[in-house]
Amino acid sequence: MAFLPDEARSLPPPPLFNKGSVWLGFTGWLAAMLNNSFNQRPALRAGVHRQILFTTVGWFVGYYLVKRTDYIYAKVDRELLEYVRHHPEDFKVAGT
Amino acid sequence: PFLAFTRSMFVAKKPNYAQPNWPGVGLALGTSAALWAFLIKQHNEDVMEYERRQKERHHKCTECS
């Protein structure tokens, strides 16, 4: 499967500020700070351009991963509901 | 310091840590700006495409042939 098939565009896109982006952006920032520590530079004040770059890359990757996650969940939901629709005898409400 | 790659001793230079690595800074900030611009553009396009498809799906044809 392609990373994002065309039908994924029929789903509402995730907001720019979303869980995956925030978390991966944070891990990017953490990576920049670790890089500072390993090279014996002041952890927070050094290499701000690096911190910005790593955070941006994390945010970017996070957005696309969340989009794909939403697509996979929607696809599975659709298949599940299709199955339920095609097999109503297996899904009778209790008592009827 | 641990070097993950080797440089030929004929062309290697000692890195100068007294001054900021301005080309590096420029590249990093430029790439960040480009990535953000692309991401924001992509997001807006996604929103437009989603709304377009929603309208298409719920369009009840009355006067168009």
Side-chain angles (χ1 to χ4, degrees), chain A residues 6-16 21 41 48-50 52-57 59-60 63-64 67, chain B residues 1 17 21 24-25 27-29 31-33 35-36 38-40 42-47 49-50 53-54 57:
Chain A
D6 182 71
E7 61 177 357
R9 306 185 72 191
S10 304
L11 288 170
L16 265 176
S21 283
R41 294 191 292 254
V48 175
H49 64 291
R50 203 175 292 114
I52 294 175
L53 178 66
F54 285 20
T55 309
T56 304
V57 168
W59 200 281
F60 190 86
Y63 178 79
Y64 286 98
K67 254 221 270 183
Chain B
Y17 292 124
N21 171 18
V25 171
L27 267 177
L29 291 177
T31 315
S32 303
L35 280 176
W36 275 115
F38 182 80
L39 183 65
I40 293 174
Q42 177 71 49
H43 176 71
N44 290 338
E45 280 174 4
D46 290 342
V47 171
E49 178 65 21
Y50 170 65
R53 290 187 184 202
Q54 287 300 89
R57 186 126 50 93

Side-chain angles (χ1 to χ4, degrees), chain B residues 11-23:
Chain B
V11 292
K13 290 198 302 256
K14 211 159 56 99
N16 174 19
Y17 292 124
Q19 279 184 327
N21 171 18
W22 289 116

Side-chain angles (χ1 to χ4, degrees), chain A residues 23-37:
Chain A
W23 181 248
L24 284 184
F26 173 71
T27 60
W29 185 48
L30 208 60
M33 286 202 292
L34 276 178
N35 185 323
N36 282 344
S37 305

Side-chain angles (χ1 to χ4, degrees), chain A residues 58-79:
Chain A
W59 200 281
F60 190 86
V61 171
Y63 178 79
Y64 286 98
L65 284 180
V66 164
K67 254 221 270 183
R68 181 169 163 85
T69 308
D70 286 348
Y71 170 70
I72 298 288
Y73 280 160
K75 186 164 171 301
V76 169
D77 282 348
R78 182 179 65 192
E79 286 162 5

Side-chain angles (χ1 to χ4, degrees), chain B residues 5-16:
Chain B
F5 54 90
T6 52
R7 302 127 68 218
S8 159
M9 66 171 232
F10 300 106
V11 292
K13 290 198 302 256
K14 211 159 56 99
N16 174 19

